[in-house]
Amino acid sequence: MRKKLFAAIAVLLLLVGSVVVTSYVVLSQGAQKPFYVGVTYGGSSVQEAKALVDRVKGYTNLFVLQSGSMQGYTDAMEEIGDYVVASNLSYAVSSTVSESLRFNKQQLSSWLIEAKERWGERFIGIYYNDEPGGKMLDSGAITLKKETSRINETMVRVTSITTSGESITVKTEYIFQEETVTIQGNSGFTISSIFSFTTTTYANNGDIFIETSDTDSRGYYREYINYYSNGTITIDECLAVENNFYAPGNITKYAGSILSYEELLKQKPIQNYGTVANAFVDTQKDLLKGINKTRLNEADILVFTADYGLYWWDYKGGYDVVLAELAWNHSDVQHIGLVRGAANLQGKSWGTILTWKYTHPPYLAGGVEMFEQMKTSYEAGAEYVIIFNYSEDPVNPNTLQKEHFEALEHFWNDVVQNPEIIHSGIKADAVLVLPQNYGWGMRNPQDNIWGIWPADSTSQQIWNQLENKIDQYGLKLDIVFEDPSHSATWKYSKIYYWNQK
């Protein structure tokens, strides 16, 4: 009787079409949320995007426009969106954090609201700001904080904190304007040749360097004060063509005041893992505030990102969905455990994005491996599985080959549409809890911490525990961080800590 009932339901759903494709997964398999599988398009041709829709519409239900060259060209974005929705697929778009003359943050936010009104539930959201955690771990320089304030009618102060793998830099600029203007968006203002700034750089080896520069009607002045970790202080003072150098032997002849090394060290804005974690989270919140995320969520528009590290803090920064990148031969099980654990404890959604295995053609993994990654993601509970379809070849920006399309179709027919394979059938019944605010990349035992500090003895302890628990539990293991706001004790039956014997 139950088999006949199920068969009747299946036939009915096929008749009404893919309007309820995502609900089919929910109704027939008992999942709590809909499941999306799709591809991205990163090229610059509307017709090529439509051709890709035609190619995949029979075995996907999501299309993501991830084209930087089309960003802001709303006619093209809407033409593609209309075609996607007419093909019974859901639609999402991508945008960077930088403003352009054709599409600033306010315009983007307004367009997203209009897109929701245009396509309704078929428009699910925006993929905004790629890899914030990965950039923190690997980028040469990341601005964690930037504040602009007006001092008076002719002067603006800009303060920024930038971190890299070698140092933390605090820069304060005083910009003198030729005329009074409103500071907003990318309207800009005219800057005269008169300026002033102070930069303090805290090197990882303990040295501190201060550079002060002024340009005014008197001429050009620059000063360098160098504090070395061995206690040595030197000053190089330059006014126009004159130069005075003060070394330890004649430092008392310097007319200005000098802070002690200890006093400067107390002013360092990033003192420990907690301060950089808070700064990272605040930076993401500010970015999302720029597109009025609260308003977008009220309109049922989700904000996504994809990343390969620091998922916990991506969610704390405000993202609704984080897609873990399965790439570079990293451990799929570990990345799924990290992103699913963060989503589970913080009440968010998660997914995976299958991206480059190689930095050269064919870029993506083969079709068989891709199928297994999609199936693993699905069974582990991913709500989104997306194929990153982009190469650096401007002539052919697509990476999907015949074997990848076949893998997608195989996945759709034999997994998503198969009632014997349960979405979220593999649940985590154990969790590994890592230290609070320990933003370690975890790709290898020597990976860095927050892109600032090298691995330490704790890193090796965690690595050993990770290997042990993944061997023991596999996909049934979540990986989370100690956090007073998100306790693991109520969620899991088996709890292990990073320093547990």
Side-chain angles (χ1 to χ4, degrees), residues 137-273:
L137 290 169
D138 293 337
S139 180
I142 292 292
T143 299
L144 280 177
K145 183 178 181 181
K146 188 168 185 178
E147 294 181 342
T148 301
S149 58
R150 183 176 293 282
I151 303 302
N152 53 44
E153 290 185 353
T154 60
M155 187 188 303
V156 171
R157 178 174 61 206
V158 180
T159 303
S160 60
I161 300 173
T162 304
T163 180
S164 70
E166 287 135 12
S167 62
I168 296 167
T169 300
V170 183
K171 185 173 184 179
T172 301
E173 300 175 87
Y174 293 89
I175 303 171
F176 296 81
Q177 301 168 227
E178 292 181 341
E179 57 184 5
T180 302
V181 297
T182 302
I183 304 173
Q184 60 181 6
N186 63 341
S187 59
F189 42 76
T190 303
I191 303 175
S192 73
S193 60
I194 301 174
F195 67 92
S196 171
F197 72 82
T198 298
T199 299
T200 304
T201 300
Y202 296 87
N204 282 354
N205 65 1
D207 297 340
I208 304 174
F209 307 104
I210 302 176
E211 177 185 356
T212 301
S213 182
D214 284 288
T215 300
D216 56 25
S217 57
R218 298 171 300 168
Y220 177 80
Y221 172 80
R222 181 162 288 186
E223 177 185 79
Y224 302 89
I225 306 180
N226 304 320
Y227 293 78
Y228 298 97
S229 54
N230 63 8
T232 300
I233 301 176
T234 64
I235 302 173
D236 190 0
E237 185 182 40
C238 177
L239 175 59
V241 295
E242 297 177 13
N243 188 61
N244 294 309
F245 183 75
Y246 304 91
N250 66 343
I251 200 79
T252 55
K253 295 181 181 180
Y254 176 66
S257 60
I258 307 175
L259 293 175
S260 70
Y261 180 88
E262 290 72 21
E263 289 173 318
L264 270 179
L265 207 55
K266 289 179 181 178
Q267 296 178 10
K268 185 177 179 181
I270 304 297
Q271 294 280 350
N272 50 45
Y273 301 153

Side-chain angles (χ1 to χ4, degrees), residues 421-457:
I421 299 180
I422 307 301
H423 181 229
S424 195
I426 301 175
K427 298 185 183 298
D429 55 17
V431 65
L432 177 60
V433 183
L434 306 186
Q436 185 174 2
N437 294 321
Y438 194 75
W440 184 37
M442 286 191 278
R443 292 161 292 183
N444 58 70
Q446 289 74 45
D447 210 346
N448 70 70
I449 304 165
W450 284 114
I452 301 173
W453 296 280
D456 55 21
S457 58

